[in-house]
Each structure stands twice: as structure tokens, then as C-alpha cells.
Amino acid sequence: MHLIETRDLTYVYPGSVTGLEKVNFIAPRNARIAVIGANGAGKSTLFKHFNGILKPTSGSVLIRGEPISKENIREVRKFVGVVFQNADDQIFSPTVEQDVAFGPTNLGLDEETVRHRVEEALRMVGMEDRAGRVPHHLSGGEKKRVAIAGIIAMEPQVLVLDEPTAGLDPQGVADLVGFINSLSRKYGMTVIFSSHDVSLIPEIADYIYVMNKGTIVASGTIDEIFSQAELLTSVRLDVPLLPKLIRSLREHGIDVSMAYTFQEAESAFLKAFKGEP
Amino acid sequence: MENILDDYAHRNALRDVDTRLKLALGVGAILIGIFSTTPLSPLIIGLSMGVITVAIARIPFRLYIGLLAIPVSFAAMSGIVILFMTGGGDPLWTVTIFGFSFIMTTESLNLAVLVTCRTFGGMSSLFFISLTTPAVELFSVMRDLRLPKEFVDLSMLIYRYIFVLIGEAIAMHNAQVMRNGYSGFRRSIYAFSMLGAMLFIKAWEKGEALLVAMDARCYDGKLEVMEGERHLDPKGVVSVGCYLCFCSAITILCAGKNFF
């Protein structure tokens, strides 16, 4: 049984614009899954099916093996937390802590637990000293953190992030990468996120889905996806710089082993050029 | 983002004082001012509230004077009207304009002074509240006062979305100015109407996004008001009590006493 599974999921927007077509997506336990695709490929539309905001036109969405229904929708939304792309759409309470408390309160937890979860969530995103602030005094990156904390406070088992790195500064992106990895490592959470920043993917994902025009055109491990340069460019994406460079060097006859993350590439180059093991 | 009163309220020196205390002081002073029959106590309230707001809460003096000038100038104008429109008592001064004679009497003078002083006192008490108490603090007090939950929740959402709407309006206005949207009278009317129409649509969209966002976090009709540890500072209670008693005493002792 998978945590999230879609079977031939098709969604047609009102006005008969096809959003998704026969999407088969699987999210197992404790996985880090990247959904990549150009603008308008259907990533956000797919994510909105994971917690029942959109309902499939045909096909099905199974959460822990069960289709989403009126009866289990609360359970589903507690289980799958979705962080929207635009943090401003998600933060609606007068203060930061009130916003983070919104989800846990709705789960019917008592005041003590809510307060504890709020503190914990704010600490995890590094915003504990801004609990009493009003959202319109926060920067874009801080709003993003608050939006994530608001979902984390509900303690979902699957965290879905729509374009989490959009509009963040390099330090913010680095923080987020560390954060996502710790969620997966420490808490065994499954993290699903979308991005078109391909260079970031190897750092935070084990498995990749490639989307184009509402369909999934490829899926596989980092190795499997990033070795298909033609496929990626045909869907308006690209191979990250490091594997691209290594491939080019190999074509020129230099013996460097393939690498995707910075650390892997560093040791591959050291090995190739300095002869270190 | 423009600086609005609420932003000062978030930074003032009395930010951490219990909200209930600040409200008691402000509302108490307003009530005393309204019920006072002598201009003396509203005048004292107005001046002392000004001193409290500027010296203790550390609100910039220039900002405060600018803010106060608006209602006080209105009050002064209505005072002039009262001066010549009401009667009674001994005539003090007569002006003749276009054959109409306007008479200023002792009683009209006293009434005009009283109304102006009441406005001054009331407004400076109101500015004391709005400059020292951020709106977010009011929500928990509203709950304590047993106002309907729906009312409090709605005001919380409205409060948040005022700033979203202001932000959208400023961004859109900037985009229009950048492309010479307000370069002439006709262009201005066109651009402004477009701004209004688009703001309406945006507000609608934001409303729908809000519904989705609340649903995604299992909304079932309950907004949380986080209440920190609140304890009334005894020194504060005593000083606010003394101040209000002092003002009441003046009001009662000098009841009906006028300057003229």
C-alpha cells in the first residue's frame, strides 16, 4: 500500500482545458520525490488532488489505498499537508502564531498541545522569535517559512511543497534543502515537491517524475532521468550543470565518473585529476 | 509599504502593557470627556493624553500633531458655527454680513468651547488607543468581552486582508505609474477605474484562495486566538485608576462651570 497513489488521473478544467491526463503517480513511505516540469505542465494541478482540493474528472486518487471521500477528507488533509506556491494565499491570520495554530486547532487538539506544536513548528523553520509579528511585516522568505510551519504544525506524514524555492535567496534555498532532508531523515516524512531548478533536485530527491502538458513523460531515479538529456530539453527543462560538464569531459576522453551532487562531483574530479582514491 | 497607524502601534513603547489596561484608560477618558459639563476636564484629558502618547509611548511628536490637527480643525470649524448659531446669555459681539447680523453670546461661546474641548479630549484618547494598541491585541479582548465568535473571526480575517488589499493596490498603482498611467486627466480616470475593477476581481480571487487555504487545513469554523501569559501590572492598574478618579473628580467638582 502506497501513501499516495493516482491511477489514470485525468482532470479537465472548467472550459474543457485539460489539466491532467492519465497520470499514474506513486509516493511510497519515507521518500523524497521531485516533480519537475516546465510552467503549465500540471504540477500544481496534480498537487491539488493530493488533499482533495480538486476532484478527478476520471481516474482515482488513493490515499493509503483509499479514495478521498467526504467522510475521510479531514483525515486526508491531516495526513497530506500541502504548502501552496504563493505564501500570501496561505497566511490569513492576523499574527504568525495564530496562523500556525490554525491547523492544529482545527484538528481539535487542546490548547496546551496546540501551543506546543506551534512553538515546535516555528522553531523548526527558524521563526521562533517572530511569533507575535503580523504577516505584512515579513519578507517573502519569512512568509514562506510561516506557510511551511503552518502545515508542519499539523504533523502530516506527507508534505507536499509547490515550488518551495521560488523567490528565495541562496541562503534561503540552502536552509530549505537542509530542512527537507531533515524531515525525511529525522521524522520519516515523505516529501513531494515541484521545481524547475534542476540543479537542486539531486540534493533533495531520490525519485523524479517529469511532467509535460498534463502527462507524466518519465519517472525514475536521478541517474535514470538526468541521463536522458534529449528528453529533458524536449520538455523545456535541462540537465544540471555538473552532470552536463562531466558528460562533456567524458566525451573528450577524460575518465571522470558521473556525479550529480556537489560532493559527489568534487570527489569524482579529485579522483580524476589528482589520482586520489 | 506605507506607514499606517497600526505600524506605529506595533513599535510604541507601551506595546507590552496589558491591552485591557490601555483600553480602560482610553475608553474611560473618552466617557468622562463626553459626560463632562465643564470644558476643563476634557481639556486636561486631551493635554495629558497627548503627553502620555508622545512622552511615554514615544510616538513621534510631528506625527502626533499632524494626526491631531485633522479632527481638531474640524472641531474648531464647528465651534465657530456654534458660536454664531446658538443663543442665550449676554451678547458679546455682533458681526453684520450682507445685512444679516450674527451675534456671539456668552452661552454660545461656552457651548463652542465645551464642544471643541470634548472633541479634543475624545480624539486624543482615541489616538492614544490606536497608537499604542495594535489591532491584533484587540481580538483577544473582544473574545473576553463575549462578542459573538463569528464577529471576532470575521474581523480577524478582514484585518489581515486589509493589508493584502492595500499591497495589491499599491503594486497595481505602481505598475500603472511606471507605464504613464496617470499622465493626464483622461488617462488618470481610465487608469483609476481599471485599478478599481481589477482590485474587485483580485479580492474575489483572494477570497476563493482563502477558502481553499482554510479547507486544506481542515477548517471547521474555529479560528485560534493565541493568548500569551497576561497579568495586570499592579502599578499600572493603580496609576490608571488614579488618573481616571482625578479626571472624574474634576468633572464632578467643576460641573457646569464655564470659562466665560
Side-chain angles (χ1 to χ4, degrees):
Chain A
M1 188 179 70
H2 305 294
L3 297 187
I4 296 180
E5 182 178 0
T6 71
R7 289 187 187 154
D8 288 335
L9 170 62
T10 300
Y11 181 75
V12 181
Y13 274 104
S16 41
V17 183
T18 305
L20 296 173
E21 212 179 338
K22 294 203 179 303
V23 170
N24 289 298
F25 177 96
I26 286 171
R29 205 169 284 279
N30 197 6
R32 298 176 301 163
I33 299 167
V35 178
I36 59 174
N39 299 115
K43 296 168 298 210
S44 301
T45 313
L46 176 65
F47 286 179
K48 282 181 185 150
H49 282 87
F50 291 162
N51 66 349
I53 288 170
L54 295 179
K55 292 183 182 63
T57 310
S58 70
S60 56
V61 181
L62 304 177
I63 309 294
R64 287 187 288 189
E66 281 178 43
I68 300 175
S69 64
K70 261 211 163 85
E71 287 72 44
N72 69 3
I73 187 104
R74 281 176 60 84
E75 275 304 303
V76 166
R77 285 175 177 162
K78 185 186 157 199
F79 183 74
V80 183
V82 181
V83 180
F84 297 135
Q85 187 170 350
N86 185 356
D88 256 322
D89 284 345
Q90 199 179 315
I91 304 172
F92 47 76
S93 306
T95 69
V96 167
E97 60 181 348
Q98 279 169 2
D99 199 78
V100 178
F102 179 79
T105 310
N106 285 326
L107 296 180
L109 301 169
D110 61 277
E111 210 173 306
E112 187 73 15
T113 322
V114 170
R115 192 181 301 279
H116 178 74
R117 283 207 185 179
V118 170
E119 277 168 16
E120 185 68 17
L122 285 175
R123 199 183 49 71
M124 276 170 83
V125 296
M127 291 282 292
E128 63 271 40
D129 52 338
R130 294 191 180 64
R133 296 274 286 273
V134 286
H136 54 274
H137 286 169
L138 299 177
S139 73
E142 289 171 331
K143 277 185 199 165
K144 192 107 214 170
R145 286 159 185 250
V146 173
I148 294 175
I151 299 298
I152 294 283
M154 296 174 75
E155 299 189 351
Q157 283 186 43
V158 182
L159 182 66
V160 181
L161 301 142
D162 197 355
E163 296 281 353
T165 58
L168 292 185
D169 53 27
Q171 189 59 52
V173 173
D175 288 348
L176 191 84
V177 167
F179 177 69
I180 288 177
N181 285 335
S182 77
L183 284 182
S184 144
R185 209 177 323 110
K186 264 201 242 162
Y187 302 93
M189 241 184 233
T190 290
V191 183
I192 303 171
F193 65 97
S194 66
S195 182
H196 27 227
D197 182 359
V198 283
S199 60
L200 196 71
I201 307 293
E203 310 273 353
I204 28 178
D206 318 304
Y207 202 79
I208 302 177
Y209 283 91
V210 185
M211 288 190 77
N212 188 38
K213 294 183 181 152
T215 59
I216 288 184
V217 290
S219 65
T221 59
I222 290 173
D223 233 343
E224 286 163 7
I225 296 298
F226 287 146
S227 57
Q228 306 177 54
E230 296 76 28
L231 172 92
L232 288 175
T233 44
S234 75
V235 296
R236 302 175 63 93
L237 292 169
D238 204 359
V239 178
L241 275 181
L242 286 172
K244 206 174 181 175
L245 173 66
I246 294 176
R247 181 158 306 120
S248 162
L249 288 174
R250 280 153 74 115
E251 277 163 14
H252 283 87
I254 297 170
D255 180 28
V256 193
S257 52
M258 191 38 99
Y260 296 97
T261 64
F262 180 82
Q263 278 180 328
E264 283 171 16
E266 189 181 34
S267 54
F269 280 118
L270 285 175
K271 204 169 132 194
F273 294 108
K274 290 184 86 177
E276 284 171 17
Chain B
M1 194 96 192
E2 239 92 310
N3 259 330
I4 58 170
L5 293 193
D6 205 47
D7 293 342
Y8 287 100
H10 276 283
R11 289 195 299 255
N12 84 88
L14 292 176
R15 171 80 166 80
D16 294 328
V17 174
D18 194 294
T19 314
R20 291 169 290 177
L21 200 61
K22 288 185 281 193
L23 278 184
L25 178 61
V27 174
I30 290 176
L31 288 178
I32 292 173
I34 288 175
F35 287 115
S36 162
T37 48
T38 166
L40 192 61
S41 60
L43 192 64
I44 291 174
I45 288 173
L47 291 173
S48 55
M49 279 296 174
V51 171
I52 294 172
T53 314
V54 173
I56 302 180
R58 304 211 174 279
I59 297 297
F61 181 68
R62 282 173 147 272
L63 172 89
Y64 188 72
I65 289 297
L67 279 177
L68 206 58
I70 304 165
V72 167
S73 57
F74 270 106
M77 275 190 277
S78 38
I80 293 171
V81 173
I82 291 169
L83 212 53
F84 294 104
M85 289 298 158
T86 55
D90 311 320
L92 287 174
W93 187 38
T94 308
V95 230
T96 313
I97 305 169
F98 300 124
F100 295 99
S101 52
F102 294 93
I103 308 159
M104 189 170 94
T105 64
T106 44
E107 258 178 51
S108 73
L109 179 61
N110 284 331
L111 187 63
V113 170
L114 179 63
V115 167
T116 313
C117 286
R118 273 185 187 169
T119 316
F120 171 56
M123 281 319 293
S124 48
S125 309
L126 204 60
F127 278 133
F128 167 76
I129 297 178
S130 55
L131 287 168
T132 57
T133 315
V136 288
E137 307 271 319
L138 293 178
F139 299 127
S140 61
V141 178
M142 281 159 83
R143 280 257 158 109
D144 286 349
L145 291 175
R146 309 282 150 125
L147 288 174
K149 233 173 62 57
E150 292 74 16
F151 177 77
V152 182
D153 288 356
L154 213 53
S155 23
M156 284 169 76
L157 288 177
I158 290 171
Y159 171 75
R160 166 77 185 117
Y161 277 89
I162 286 172
F163 297 99
V164 175
L165 198 68
I166 292 176
E168 291 283 344
I170 291 173
M172 235 184 275
H173 185 260
N174 285 346
Q176 288 180 325
V177 169
M178 237 157 45
R179 287 180 278 161
N180 289 332
Y182 293 87
S183 52
F185 183 66
R186 288 171 138 269
R187 299 296 308 162
S188 300
I189 289 180
Y190 180 68
F192 187 75
S193 56
M194 209 146 66
L195 178 75
M198 285 313 293
L199 266 185
F200 176 75
I201 296 171
K202 284 255 178 166
W204 193 278
E205 278 178 354
K206 287 278 177 194
E208 306 226 308
L210 168 70
L211 212 59
V212 170
M214 293 177 85
D215 267 346
R217 287 199 267 160
C218 302
Y219 180 62
D220 65 349
K222 211 158 66 181
L223 278 184
E224 180 65 1
V225 179
M226 295 284 279
E227 287 168 38
E229 290 291 300
R230 293 186 308 174
H231 34 78
L232 285 166
D233 171 28
K235 242 170 43 191
V237 177
V238 170
S239 46
V240 168
C242 287
Y243 176 81
L244 291 179
C245 285
F246 172 69
C247 293
S248 312
I250 291 182
T251 309
I252 293 164
L253 292 176
C254 306
K257 287 225 176 76
N258 286 312
F259 289 140
F260 305 100

